[in-house]
C-alpha cells in the first residue's frame, strides 16, 4: 500500500474532524471555494452575518474563532448563526502561524497537524449554548459601554461647547490653515503605513502637516517636515522639537501642562492648549476653526465596532462630529487619490496617442483636413477627461 493511503486511513481513524486551514481576515467575505474539507479560522467579532451564513452554507468541517488578545466581544450576528448550525466551533486556538492549506485535525478543542499528529494549538469547544451566552453577554457589555461613553461625551460637550462651536479658547498659532488641505498624523501604529500611502497626495497638494504625539516621529522618519506638532514634549525626540515646527503642548483646563521643562532646556518656543480633549482632537479643532478646506486624519477608523471601546476618547466623539463636514480618513483619501491618479495617467496616454496619430495625418493629408480632425478629436477627448472627475 502507498504511504499516502496509510496516512489517509490513519486520519479517518483518529477522533475529531480533518480539513485544510482557511483563514478569513477580519471584515473579509468568505472565499468562493469553501467546503466540507475546510477548517475556517476567523474572528467572530469581525465577521459579518453574510460571511457567517456563507461558512454555514458551505458546511465546513469546523470553525476556529480566535479574537486578538484583549479584544472585547461584540454582539455580532455571526455568533447566533454559528450557534444555529451543527458545525463544531473551537475558541482561542491560535492558528495565526499556520498557513492556508495546511491539513489539520481538530478534536476536543485541540488542533493537530496531520503530519506527525503534532499539537499546533489548544483551545476549547464552544457549543450552541456557549455561543449564545457569549453574544448575550456581549450585548449587555456593549450597551453599558455605549451609555457610559455617551455620558462622558455629553459631559465633555457641556464643558467645552464654546470651544467646539466657536473655537473659543483656541491658542493663536503661526500656521495658515485657511483653504488648505491638512494631514493630521497620529501616533497610532497604523499611521506609519497610511502615511506612506498618502505620499502622492502630499506631493501634489502640499498640505499642512500636523504631527500628533508619535505621529510627529512618523513624519520625520518619512522625511516630511511637520508644520505643527501637538504633543507632550517629554514624549517626542529632541529632533522633532527643534525641527522648526510650531509646537503646541496639551494642557489641562487649569493650564497645567507636562513636559514644559524640556522646552525650556532646548530653548524653543511653544504654546499651551488648555482643554479637556486629546492631542489628536486639539489638532483637528485647530485645523477646523483655522479654516482648513479638508482634514485628513490617520489612525484607526472610528466605526461602530470601536466607537465605545476603551481606546476611544469621549472627546473624539464630539470633536469628530464638529469637524465632520471636512474630515476624511487617510484610507479613503489614499483610495480616492489612487483612482484619480489612474484616470490622469490614462488621459495622458490617450493624449500621447492622439499626438502620434496627428503626426501620421499631417504627413498624409492637407493642413485643412488636419485642423478639422484635430478640433473634433480634441473636443471628444476633453469631454472624456471631464467625465473622469464627475
Amino acid at each position: 500500500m502507498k504511504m499516502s493511503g496509510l496516512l489517509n486511513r490513519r486520519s479517518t481513524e483518529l477522533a475529531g474532524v480533518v480539513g485544510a486551514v482557511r483563514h478569513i481576515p477580519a471584515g473579509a467575505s468568505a472565499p468562493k471555494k469553501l467546503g466540507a474539507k475546510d477548517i475556517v479560522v476567523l474572528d467572530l467579532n469581525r465577521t459579518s452575518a453574510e460571511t457567517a451564513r456563507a461558512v454555514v452554507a458551505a458546511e465546513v468541517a469546523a470553525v476556529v474563532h480566535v479574537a486578538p488578545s484583549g479584544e472585547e466581544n461584540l454582539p455580532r450576528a455571526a455568533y447566533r448563526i454559528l450557534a444555529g448550525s451543527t458545525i463544531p466551533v473551537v475558541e482561542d486556538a491560535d492558528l495565526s502561524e499556520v498557513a492556508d492549506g495546511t491539513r489539520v485535525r481538530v478534536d476536543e478543542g485541540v488542533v493537530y497537524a496531520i503530519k506527525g499528529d503534532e499539537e499546533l494549538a489548544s483551545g476549547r469547544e464552544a457549543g450552541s449554548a456557549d455561543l449564545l451566552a457569549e453574544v448575550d453577554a456581549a450585548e449587555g457589555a456593549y450597551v453599558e459601554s455605549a451609555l457610559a461613553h455617551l455620558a462622558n461625551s455629553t459631559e465633555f460637550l457641556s464643558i467645552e461647547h464654546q470651544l467646539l462651536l466657536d473655537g473659543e479658547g483656541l491658542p493663536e498659532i503661526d500656521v495658515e490653515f485657511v483653504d488648505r488641505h491638512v494631514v493630521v498624523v497620529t501616533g497610532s501604529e497604523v499611521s506609519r503605513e497610511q502615511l506612506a500611502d498618502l505620499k502622492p497626495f502630499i506631493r501634489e497638494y502640499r498640505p499642512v502637516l500636523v504631527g500628533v504625539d508619535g505621529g510627529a516621529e512618523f513624519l520625520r522618519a518619512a522625511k516630511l517636515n511637520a508644520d505643527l506638532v501637538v504633543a507632550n514634549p517629554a514624549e517626542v525626540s529632541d529632533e522633532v522639537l527643534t525641527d522648526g515646527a510650531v509646537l503646541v503642548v496639551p494642557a489641562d483646563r487649569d493650564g497645567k501642562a507636562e513636559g514644559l521643562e524640556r522646552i525650556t532646556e532646548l530653548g524653543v518656543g511653544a504654546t499651551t492648549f488648555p482643554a479637556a480633549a486629546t492631542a489628536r482632537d486639539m489638532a483637528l479643532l485647530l485645523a477646523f476653526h483655522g479654516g482648513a478646506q479638508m482634514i485628513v486624519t490617520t489612525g484607526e477608523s472610528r466605526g461602530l465596532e470601536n466607537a465605545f471601546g476603551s481606546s476611544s476618547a469621549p472627546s473624539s466623539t464630539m470633536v469628530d462630529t464638529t469637524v465632520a463636514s471636512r474630515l476624511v480618513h487617510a484610507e479613503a483619501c489614499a483610495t480616492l487619490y489612487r483612482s484619480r491618479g489612474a484616470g490622469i495617467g490614462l488621459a495622458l496616454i490617450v493624449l500621447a496617442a492622439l499626438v502620434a496619430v496627428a503626426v501620421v495625418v499631417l504627413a498624409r493629408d492637407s493642413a485643412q483636413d488636419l485642423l478639422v480632425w484635430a478640433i473634433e478629436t480634441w473636443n471628444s477627448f476633453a469631454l472624456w477627461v471631464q467625465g473622469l472627475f464627475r
Side-chain angles (χ1 to χ4, degrees):
M1 183 181 294
K2 293 181 179 179
M3 181 60 70
S4 60
L6 286 172
L7 287 174
N8 287 336
R9 187 178 72 180
R10 182 170 179 269
S11 297
T12 57
E13 289 173 352
L14 294 173
V17 294
V18 174
V21 170
R22 292 285 181 264
H23 291 275
I24 300 182
S29 301
K32 291 183 179 179
K33 294 183 179 180
L34 201 63
K37 295 182 180 180
D38 294 317
I39 291 177
V40 171
V41 182
L42 45 68
D43 176 6
L44 290 177
N45 298 314
R46 300 289 181 269
T47 299
S48 68
E50 180 182 4
T51 298
R53 291 191 186 98
V55 168
V56 171
E59 299 181 341
V60 298
V63 167
V64 178
H65 161 47
V66 183
S69 178
E71 179 180 89
E72 298 174 351
N73 284 352
L74 291 172
R76 300 301 297 264
Y79 280 91
R80 298 191 186 281
I81 292 169
L82 265 296
S85 74
T86 58
I87 296 173
V89 177
V90 174
E91 295 187 325
D92 298 332
D94 186 3
L95 297 180
S96 58
E97 301 300 321
V98 179
D100 259 22
T102 303
R103 286 179 53 77
V104 299
R105 178 173 65 90
V106 180
D107 179 38
E108 295 185 353
V110 182
V111 182
Y112 302 90
I114 290 298
K115 292 183 178 180
D117 211 36
E118 172 192 1
E119 182 177 320
L120 298 176
S122 178
R124 63 183 184 281
E125 287 189 353
S128 296
D130 298 317
L131 292 173
L132 292 175
E134 287 177 21
V135 74
D136 287 343
E139 285 175 352
Y142 185 72
V143 171
E144 287 181 8
S145 178
L147 290 173
H149 181 92
L150 294 174
N152 291 331
S153 298
T154 303
E155 182 180 1
F156 172 79
L157 177 63
S158 69
I159 296 171
E160 299 286 14
H161 57 276
Q162 291 183 326
L163 171 64
L164 296 173
L165 295 172
D166 300 309
E168 290 292 323
L170 284 173
E172 293 185 7
I173 57 175
D174 189 20
V175 177
E176 185 58 57
F177 288 111
V178 178
D179 295 331
R180 297 281 305 279
H181 290 42
V182 178
V183 175
V184 177
V185 182
T186 67
S188 171
E189 189 56 37
V190 297
S191 291
R192 193 191 304 271
E193 182 177 344
Q194 292 169 354
L195 180 59
D197 292 338
L198 285 172
K199 273 199 169 181
F201 170 81
I202 292 171
R203 278 195 297 268
E204 178 171 347
Y205 284 95
R206 302 293 179 183
V208 177
L209 297 178
V210 182
V212 176
D213 298 327
E217 304 286 1
F218 294 154
L219 282 169
R220 194 169 191 283
K223 302 187 184 308
L224 295 169
N225 296 322
D227 298 289
L228 171 65
V229 170
V230 183
N232 178 343
E235 296 179 358
V236 292
S237 65
D238 290 353
E239 290 77 11
V240 164
L241 297 175
T242 57
D243 264 352
V246 173
L247 302 177
V248 171
V249 179
D252 297 336
R253 296 193 80 241
D254 61 7
K256 182 180 178 180
E258 296 182 8
L260 291 180
E261 307 83 12
R262 183 104 176 275
I263 294 292
T264 303
E265 291 172 2
L266 293 172
V268 295
T271 303
T272 58
F273 187 166
T278 66
R280 175 249 189 203
D281 297 336
M282 290 178 179
L284 294 184
L285 290 172
L286 285 167
F288 179 79
H289 287 297
Q293 187 178 68
M294 182 174 79
I295 306 169
V296 179
T297 182
T298 69
E300 298 288 349
S301 60
R302 284 175 49 80
L304 192 59
E305 291 181 348
N306 58 8
F308 313 121
S310 57
S311 62
S312 179
S315 64
S316 297
T317 297
M318 292 303 173
V319 170
D320 284 8
T321 303
T322 300
V323 307
S325 61
R326 303 178 209 172
L327 188 63
V328 179
H329 192 266
E331 291 179 355
C333 180
T335 299
L336 290 171
Y337 188 83
R338 280 195 297 270
S339 300
R340 176 181 175 279
I344 292 174
L346 182 58
L348 292 175
I349 291 172
V350 173
L351 180 59
L354 290 176
V355 172
V357 172
V359 172
V360 175
V361 174
L362 181 61
R364 188 185 63 187
D365 298 332
S366 68
Q368 184 176 359
D369 291 339
L370 172 62
L371 181 60
V372 172
W373 174 85
I375 292 173
E376 292 178 350
T377 304
W378 177 258
N379 288 338
S380 299
F381 173 72
L383 289 173
W384 177 76
V385 172
Q386 289 175 10
L388 290 174
F389 303 100
R390 289 176 179 171

